[in-house]
Amino acid sequence: MRFEGYRNKAVVVETPVAHTGLAESTINSEPIISEPEPEIENETTSDTTEEVSNPSCSELNEDMAELPKEESTLSTINNMLIEESNQPTEYEIFRANAMAEKERASQEKLDKVLSYTKQNLALYLSETDLNRLCGYITEYFLSDSLPKVEQIKVDAQLKTIDIMHFGWNIGKAFGKPRLQTATFIKKVFAHTLRDSEISTIERKMSHTESECRIKLNRKIA
């Protein structure tokens, strides 16, 4: 009985020895598992490198981002300079205003003469001939040379003195020379003035005669 007990004790003792061997084998195998440690160090190094290099990239991006702002500022300044250079000078403003006023006054003068013509000759001309006459008068006013015309025949009620008075009235309103106006009405009213020379028309344009339908008028324009 004692021997069996001893054997049992021996068995009990052997069991830790087996476990000890397993423990030693386990300990001996651990270095194999821990070999990848150098790779962990490399990863740490690369992480550090990336962290260090990031600020330089961001600074570069900021520098690049600032370039369009500078270009935009320069573009704005250039546009302002161009706008200032395109602004008219004081002289140009005064000249433009004077030209506009002159044109307005000329148009007003022409309108008054045309209105006078229609009011005084509507009874003696057809509508077509009256409009054609107004066109000739407009060309005469706007041009220094005489316009090309086709003669206009008025009603027989108007005499040579009436046409002469009419010519003097519009020539006076336009500020045209007497000879130029005499030549103009001689062309336009060739039939009525067929027996009068240009020199006679020039001389008698402002004569006052009691028997006439068209009076001298110094206040047309």
Side-chain angles (χ1 to χ4, degrees):
M1 296 295 291
R2 291 181 183 178
F3 179 76
E4 293 176 354
Y6 176 77
R7 291 178 63 182
N8 291 337
K9 288 181 182 180
V11 172
V12 172
V13 171
E14 288 177 356
T15 301
V17 172
H19 288 290
T20 303
L22 292 173
E24 289 176 355
S25 63
T26 302
I27 292 171
N28 293 332
S29 62
E30 286 179 352
I32 299 174
I33 298 174
S34 61
E35 286 181 358
E37 288 181 356
E39 295 180 0
I40 296 174
E41 292 179 358
N42 292 336
E43 292 178 358
T44 304
T45 305
S46 62
D47 292 341
T48 305
T49 305
E50 290 177 359
E51 291 177 359
V52 172
S53 62
N54 283 339
S56 63
C57 292
S58 62
E59 290 176 0
L60 181 59
N61 292 334
E62 290 178 358
D63 294 339
M64 294 178 64
E66 290 178 357
L67 290 176
K69 293 181 180 178
E70 295 178 358
E71 293 178 358
S72 177
T73 302
L74 292 175
S75 177
T76 302
I77 294 173
N78 291 334
N79 291 336
M80 292 175 64
L81 293 175
I82 293 173
E83 289 178 359
E84 290 179 0
S85 64
N86 290 336
Q87 292 297 324
T89 63
E90 185 179 28
Y91 168 79
E92 291 173 340
I93 293 174
F94 286 146
R95 181 176 176 82
N97 291 338
M99 293 294 291
E101 178 60 24
K102 181 181 179 181
E103 184 176 351
R104 184 199 63 78
S106 296
Q107 186 62 48
E108 183 179 355
K109 183 184 296 184
L110 177 60
D111 291 342
K112 288 181 178 180
V113 171
L114 294 178
S115 178
Y116 163 81
T117 300
K118 293 175 182 178
Q119 290 175 1
N120 287 269
L121 297 183
L123 290 176
Y124 312 107
L125 287 172
S126 66
E127 183 178 2
T128 301
D129 287 339
L130 183 58
N131 290 333
R132 189 153 57 92
L133 175 60
C134 289
Y136 294 156
I137 292 172
T138 300
E139 291 183 46
Y140 176 58
F141 172 64
L142 297 177
S143 177
D144 293 332
S145 58
L146 293 174
K148 295 180 179 181
V149 301
E150 294 180 7
Q151 68 170 337
I152 295 175
K153 187 176 181 179
V154 297
D155 190 275
Q157 296 179 69
L158 294 181
K159 308 300 181 183
T160 57
I161 191 61
D162 295 311
I163 299 301
M164 290 180 186
H165 284 172
F166 172 77
W168 187 87
N169 290 342
I170 65 173
K172 183 70 174 178
F174 288 157
K176 298 284 188 176
R178 289 171 67 102
L179 179 59
Q180 190 176 15
T181 302
T183 305
F184 173 69
I185 61 174
K186 173 69 174 177
K187 284 186 171 184
V188 176
F189 305 102
H191 178 77
T192 304
L193 300 176
R194 60 187 180 277
D195 296 328
S196 300
E197 299 294 331
I198 292 178
S199 57
T200 302
I201 297 171
E202 179 187 6
R203 185 178 69 254
K204 296 180 65 175
M205 285 172 63
S206 57
H207 285 187
T208 302
E209 295 185 14
S210 57
E211 295 183 3
C212 61
R213 295 180 181 275
I214 298 179
K215 307 291 184 180
L216 293 175
N217 189 339
R218 299 175 181 270
K219 299 179 181 180
I220 296 177

